[in-house]
Amino acid sequence: MDLRFTAEQERFRADARAWLADRLDGPFAKVRGRGGPGDEHELFDERWAWEQELGRDNWIGLGWPAEYGGRGASLLEQVIFFEEYARAGGPGRVGIIGEGLLGPTIVHFGRDDQKRAFLPGILRGTEIWCQGYSEPNAGSDLANVQTRAERDGDEWVVQGQKVWTSLAHWAQWIFVLCRTDRDAPKHKGLSYLLLPMDQPGIEIRPIVQITGHSEFNETFFDGARTAAENVVGEVNGGWRVAMGTLAFERGASTLGQQLSFENELREITDVARANGTGTDPVVRQRLAEAWSTLRVMRFHALRTLPLMETGTVSPATAIHKLFWANFHRALGELAVDILGAAGVSGIQGDDDRMQRLFLYSRADTIYGGSNEIQKNVIGEQALGLPREPR
Ligand SMILES: Cc1cc2nc3c(=O)[nH]c(=O)nc-3n(C[C@H](O)[C@H](O)[C@H](O)COP(=O)(O)OP(=O)(O)OC[C@H]3O[C@@H](n4cnc5c(N)ncnc54)[C@H](O)[C@@H]3O)c2cc1C
């Protein structure tokens, strides 16, 4: 596989770099490098304005077909943009769930009227989405969702509870996996509904995380309503759509994510240099190992990216998730080891970012499918081991 970029791709890179530098050195300097792990609660209004700035110049939905308002950019162009975004210190995106999860799902599984209704708000950065999958008894065992929806005339009425709903307190819309046929087998009676958040039937309660902030929430539905046509895919056929969304979660942006890891590693290395731990042979080995792991991760991702774009969960996507999640959690541990005593004191002062990295990265091996679940996928699909009893 040829991993070099063409002259045209390099021109695209130069355009993206120039645009990002212009905005992030200028009117949006305040959000540069903000909103990352453990900092995702900060500067919401400013980062929402940033989302709309990206939308104005067509930097959202790069890979979506031009007929739906995207740029129809190739996979490598998307990779280039996400790399440049991370290199420039672009802030944590408030529109990430819309662009990364719901948008591709609508492009792939949605009807034309749904594309017209829901894609523009994501592309302009004006509508924020959240994901209503997990429930108290349905996380890894997602098909166990108990939130139910029933038809009432030309509307669906939703009853139940979701949990860990990231960004629900900011979102205007939620996509909800719910049970629409209680008599059907577990995976068959589910539908994928789109609901407006601003209505009396929805209550949001923030959950305070170990970082002391609330990125996610409990979301309660008590007679929440949405129009009958707001089902993506078939009624009772939501499982296939829900799995498609999960596969999109690990698309082209993963390359940009690796550059953010690289930025973090650079910061950690600077601390090691400054506080003297950089002369410790074990610390040096761990830093070098982190650097080489990042290179391997990059080449693995470039090789397997095309598979991630197809909307199916495969061993390649599972390996990738397992690989980066373990790496990032270990990077957080390395950061606090290098900080020494400062790493275990209360969160304050200059060491904040690293402590937050350590605390937040504990979540990496859980969300988007836990490590154990990824290993099950690899065991069953790549190694052909007997399926887990269900
Ligand atoms: C930061 C963060 C943000 C999140 N954001 C969202 C969001 O926006 N929307 C949303 O819907 N959800 C969200 N989640 C929820 C996330 O998807 C779930 O936490 C995840 O799917 C695991 O489910 P669970 O927490 O119910 O754990 P459980 O499924 O109860 O798992 C508990 C433990 O048992 C292990 N386990 C479970 N089943 C098996 C098995 N079959 N074999 C081996 N081991 C197993 C797991 O690996 C885990 O270690 C978020 C979670 C985090 C941490």
Side-chain angles (χ1 to χ4, degrees), residues 12 59 62 73 80 226 228 242 266 293 296 310 323 325 360:
F12 178 81
W59 292 109
L62 284 180
I80 288 169
T226 195
R266 209 163 284 123
T293 306
V296 175
T310 59
F323 198 18
Y360 192 90

Side-chain angles (χ1 to χ4, degrees), residues 37-280:
D39 187 40
E40 61 287 324
H41 58 292
E42 293 285 6
L43 301 176
F44 170 71
D45 290 337
E46 291 84 349
R47 288 194 288 129
W48 197 10
W50 166 253
E51 190 73 23
Q52 292 168 39
E53 182 75 5
L54 285 170
R56 248 188 299 279
D57 283 341
N58 231 1
W59 292 109
I60 301 179
L62 284 180
W64 303 2
E67 59 184 307
Y68 305 132
R71 285 202 193 196
S74 70
L75 203 51
L76 274 181
E77 283 171 334
Q78 296 169 61
V79 166
I80 288 169
F81 178 73
F82 286 117
E83 285 189 339
E84 288 304 320
Y85 190 88
R87 201 188 311 275
R93 296 271 309 278
V94 298
I96 191 165
I97 294 180
E99 189 195 28
L101 301 186
L102 195 267
T105 304
I106 297 266
V107 167
H108 205 83
F109 298 98
R111 299 186 310 266
D112 280 347
D113 60 302
Q114 290 174 327
K115 290 173 179 140
R116 282 193 300 275
F118 295 110
L119 298 180
I122 299 173
L123 289 167
R124 285 194 299 263
T126 49
E127 276 173 4
I128 298 177
W129 283 83
C130 63
Q131 176 184 26
Y133 274 22
S134 305
E135 298 181 1
N137 290 311
S140 304
D141 185 11
L142 184 59
N144 196 39
V145 297
Q146 300 300 320
T147 294
R148 57 181 204 277
E150 278 168 13
R151 275 295 288 272
D152 177 22
D154 55 3
E155 288 184 317
W156 290 101
V157 182
V158 181
Q159 208 69 32
Q161 184 204 340
K162 295 292 173 180
V163 70
W164 318 125
T165 329
S166 303
L167 311 183
H169 51 306
W170 289 335
Q172 286 81 40
W173 285 88
I174 182 168
F175 50 96
V176 180
L177 189 61
C178 49
R179 195 155 294 286
T180 38
D181 181 352
R182 275 186 266 180
D183 300 325
K186 218 162 128 176
H187 296 77
K188 300 236 159 103
L190 298 168
S191 300
Y192 193 106
L193 297 192
L194 312 176
L195 268 85
M197 290 294 277
D198 186 14
Q199 55 169 309
I202 297 186
E203 188 192 343
I204 298 157
R205 296 188 201 156
I207 300 171
V208 179
Q209 296 162 227
I210 195 171
T211 51
H213 306 287
S214 296
E215 176 210 11
F216 50 36
N217 306 271
E218 292 176 294
T219 309
F220 294 86
F221 302 88
D222 185 8
R225 288 177 174 266
T226 195
E229 67 262 24
N230 287 342
V231 183
V232 185
E234 303 288 317
V235 172
N236 297 327
W239 183 250
R240 192 171 138 255
V241 183
M243 289 301 101
T245 304
L246 287 186
F248 295 128
E249 191 166 8
R250 298 147 207 165
S253 62
T254 55
L255 264 293
Q257 179 196 40
Q258 283 168 35
L259 268 198
S260 320
F261 297 167
E262 225 171 285
N263 292 342
E264 287 165 355
L265 178 58
R266 209 163 284 123
E267 270 186 64
I268 294 169
T269 310
D270 286 346
V271 174
R273 227 181 258 120
N275 75 3
T277 51
T279 57
D280 179 322

Side-chain angles (χ1 to χ4, degrees), residues 345-359:
S345 59
I347 292 189
Q348 55 191 337
D350 293 342
D351 301 327
D352 255 24
R353 284 164 67 83
M354 294 199 182
Q355 286 176 315
R356 286 184 208 283
L357 166 65
F358 168 71
L359 294 173

